[in-house]
Amino acid sequence: MNDHRAGRSRKRLTLLIATGLLAAGATPLVIAANGNAATPVAAHSAGVKAAAGVGLDDAHKKDIAMQLVSSAENSSLDWKSQYKYIEDIGDGRGYTAGIIGFCSGTGDMLDLVQLYTDRKPGNALAKYLPALRKVNGTESHSGLGSAFESAWKTAAKDAAFQTAQNDERDRVYFNPAVNQAKSDGLRALGQFAYYDAIVMHGPGDDSTSFGGIRKTAMKKAKTPAQGGNETTYLNAFLDARKAAMKTEEAHSDTSRVDTEQRVFLQKGNFDLNPPLSWKVYGDSYNIAN
């Protein structure tokens, strides 16, 4: 099987600003139906409920979502083996690491290591916090390097660090994506489409970040919550996602949309129920149950 590390998450630098809206313990941001950012409110009080069916936040569906993302990010369904992953993939975001591609240049790696250190002072990564603050917003490795890479792999063996990765994935990416999708009246497939997009493009509001992609889609089709057709809207969202991907050479292979998400949509599998079969970068995958 080919290694497609170059296809890993390349979050927009707007993440540095966007994550400021999602402080630890804060209620996830829900975007208003007109596409503009609204005051953060709980998804259940947004006045809209997703169509009946098990959502992506169901434990089994969430594991499926992680396998789907890992097939594109790591050429493997074994997402739990990625806690230790770290390398610079040459995309201008410095180091990319962990289960969701935390980056030293986009703020989310710094937030992760800070959370880990708050919970477990003196851990293997704690001493690199000053260096992470200095390189934030750049591609620099200053003060990090091979020693930091080794420390990351050591920390990855610690259950506390694994939990911290899970929690930051949920706070910054998973929960906001799923809550917004539910507010838009989307079932599990649409929730996954939002999640995969926010993982790659970041939660910003410019044209090639998640918020901007959603706005572009809403100019073409109404969400189910607005009375639109779910298939029509998701096709519009995936079209907008592809256009955003093509603005960067590193994202020019859009198979995670074309031969994964679009395949599920064409089959009408809105609840993302197994068995699932798809291809990413030409490699075939399946989830039996």
Side-chain angles (χ1 to χ4, degrees):
M1 181 177 292
N2 297 326
D3 181 10
H4 300 294
R5 293 293 189 184
R8 287 191 60 91
S9 304
R10 287 164 172 81
K11 292 172 289 298
R12 307 291 299 173
L13 291 179
T14 50
L15 178 61
L16 292 167
I17 299 173
T19 52
L21 299 173
L22 295 167
T27 304
L29 179 69
V30 173
I31 300 172
N34 62 8
N36 297 320
T39 302
V41 295
H44 63 76
S45 65
V48 178
K49 292 184 179 179
V54 177
L56 207 67
D57 46 2
D58 169 79
H60 181 53
K61 289 290 174 69
K62 188 173 186 178
D63 185 69
I64 288 174
M66 288 302 296
Q67 292 183 65
L68 290 169
V69 170
S70 187
S71 72
E73 301 279 305
N74 305 101
S75 297
S76 169
L77 298 184
D78 186 11
W79 66 270
K80 292 181 180 178
S81 70
Q82 305 306 321
Y83 291 107
K84 65 181 181 297
Y85 165 73
I86 182 168
E87 69 174 317
D88 188 327
I89 57 179
D91 63 351
R93 275 84 166 175
Y95 283 112
T96 295
I99 59 170
I100 210 66
F102 301 99
C103 295
S104 59
T106 61
D108 54 351
M109 180 179 285
L110 171 60
D111 289 345
L112 168 62
V113 176
Q114 184 64 66
L115 175 64
Y116 179 37
T117 302
D118 289 345
R119 293 176 175 178
K120 190 172 183 177
N123 67 73
L125 294 173
K127 65 181 180 182
Y128 294 100
L129 277 170
L132 285 170
R133 294 188 187 101
K134 288 182 180 179
V135 302
N136 196 14
T138 77
E139 61 183 327
S140 174
H141 291 185
S142 179
L144 300 173
S146 59
F148 175 69
E149 295 173 33
S150 296
W152 184 280
K153 293 174 182 177
T154 295
K157 300 174 185 178
D158 183 1
F161 187 48
Q162 294 176 14
T163 298
Q165 288 198 38
N166 293 343
D167 290 347
E168 281 298 279
R169 169 202 61 199
D170 291 350
R171 180 181 73 88
V172 182
Y173 303 108
F174 189 84
N175 292 344
V178 171
N179 288 342
Q180 183 61 68
K182 287 184 176 182
S183 179
D184 286 345
L186 300 173
R187 287 174 278 181
L189 176 57
Q191 293 165 31
F192 175 72
Y194 275 23
Y195 175 52
D196 191 63
I198 204 170
V199 163
M200 175 178 280
H201 302 279
D205 207 35
D206 63 275
S207 62
T208 54
S209 292
F210 169 71
I213 293 170
R214 178 176 172 273
K215 285 182 180 178
T216 298
M218 292 176 69
K219 292 177 182 178
K220 300 292 185 180
K222 292 181 179 180
T223 68
Q226 296 172 317
N229 178 273
E230 191 168 12
T231 298
T232 301
Y233 174 73
L234 284 178
N235 272 315
F237 182 82
L238 294 179
D239 288 344
R241 167 85 189 280
K242 283 184 62 175
M245 290 174 72
K246 289 181 177 180
T247 63
E248 290 188 81
E249 177 60 31
H251 292 158
S252 59
D253 186 320
T254 59
S255 58
R256 67 198 291 162
V257 171
D258 301 327
T259 54
E260 182 187 284
Q261 295 171 49
R262 196 87 76 175
V263 169
F264 304 149
L265 181 58
Q266 289 170 348
K267 292 182 177 180
N269 192 353
F270 294 102
D271 291 319
L272 206 60
N273 289 327
L276 298 169
S277 296
W278 72 98
K279 291 184 178 181
V280 181
Y281 308 124
D283 293 334
S284 297
Y285 301 91
N286 67 81
I287 296 175
N289 49 56

